[in-house]
Amino acid sequence: MQAVLFDLDGTLVDTAADLGYALNLQRQRHGLAFLPDAAMRPYASHGSKGLLEIGFGLSPEDMAFDEMRTEYLALYTEVLTRQPVLFPGMAETLAAIEQQGLQWGIVTNKPRRFTTPIVEALGLSARAGAVISGDDAAAPKPAPQTLLLACERMQLNPADTIYLGDAERDVQAGNAAGMTTLVALFGYLSETDRPEEWGAHAAIAQPQDLLQYL
């Protein structure tokens, strides 16, 4: 393998606390009590759509959805660098990848205006071979375009690249791009997720398990 590409939220970085905090600020604004972190965490990989579902019972078909989504994203912008952290073992895993002379990068559906501050806050900008956000290509995951763009910028052959993510769309995108796909079981999976049915090549329980596939 030449390189590893990581999904951001729920795979490389634990952003659930900040995503949930923004939702609770919004709930407070609307006269609702804070939700516990454990209730919100499984929805963190599904972006504002998933969070507004657990926070307000809203779906994109509801008339209030767009307005509430705009409000949520404005609140999230204010707190997104509050406490993002690498998942336990991820720092050592990135160091091991670099020590082997291999590249790694980030491909996320998160818009660039949110991605860049988080990556910079964690000091990863100079180390990542590419950081591709959901709005950097014509279509985000589960389409393969953002993954293929990362390969183009890093001069990688997709067939020699691993993509690690914690959502079904990550596996779909990686498979469509011709990559080896791995599921991060330590990410934001809910009780209803069935990662064994997603069609990934394998699943890993902790970041260090990735190293055996290099």
Side-chain angles (χ1 to χ4, degrees):
M1 289 294 167
Q2 295 177 316
V4 181
L5 297 176
F6 295 90
D7 175 43
L8 186 65
D9 301 87
T11 302
L12 183 67
V13 181
D14 190 350
T15 55
D18 296 333
L19 288 161
Y21 184 62
L23 182 66
N24 273 333
L25 290 177
Q26 187 178 23
R27 281 176 58 86
Q28 184 180 55
R29 182 175 289 186
H30 291 270
L32 299 173
F34 273 30
L35 289 172
D37 289 343
M40 297 181 288
R41 190 174 181 84
Y43 294 84
S45 263
H46 301 288
S48 56
K49 177 183 174 182
L51 290 162
L52 289 174
E53 177 186 345
I54 185 64
F56 296 94
L58 291 173
S59 70
E61 292 73 35
D62 291 310
M63 289 184 61
F65 182 84
D66 287 345
E67 182 179 349
M68 292 290 281
R69 181 176 183 273
T70 298
E71 181 182 66
Y72 172 78
L73 293 177
L75 289 166
Y76 180 56
T77 300
E78 297 175 6
V79 302
L80 57 81
T81 58
R82 191 166 160 261
Q83 51 180 330
V85 293
L86 292 174
F87 276 95
M90 188 58 76
E92 295 83 353
T93 300
L94 294 179
I97 293 171
E98 293 168 349
Q99 286 166 7
Q100 292 186 41
L102 303 177
Q103 296 189 78
W104 63 269
I106 300 168
V107 181
T108 175
N109 271 6
K110 213 177 191 74
R112 178 156 292 281
R113 65 189 173 113
F114 304 130
T115 304
T116 300
I118 292 172
V119 174
E120 289 181 349
L122 291 168
L124 300 176
S125 299
R127 296 171 63 188
V131 179
I132 306 299
S133 297
D135 47 3
D136 287 338
K141 301 174 293 185
Q145 280 93 324
T146 50
L147 289 170
L148 294 173
L149 178 59
C151 287
E152 180 182 330
R153 291 189 181 175
M154 296 170 67
Q155 299 183 316
L156 302 173
N157 179 355
D160 296 325
T161 305
I162 291 171
Y163 188 52
L164 175 66
D166 69 316
E168 185 174 14
R169 64 176 173 273
D170 298 324
V171 175
Q172 292 169 334
N175 287 344
M179 299 179 178
T180 295
T181 51
L182 300 178
V183 177
L185 297 177
F186 52 85
Y188 304 144
L189 277 71
S190 70
E191 292 180 357
T192 59
D193 282 326
R194 297 288 181 266
E196 69 278 3
E197 299 175 3
W198 293 349
H201 292 85
I204 61 173
Q206 57 186 356
Q208 296 95 321
D209 295 341
L210 168 66
L211 301 175
Q212 66 184 289
Y213 295 95
L214 299 178

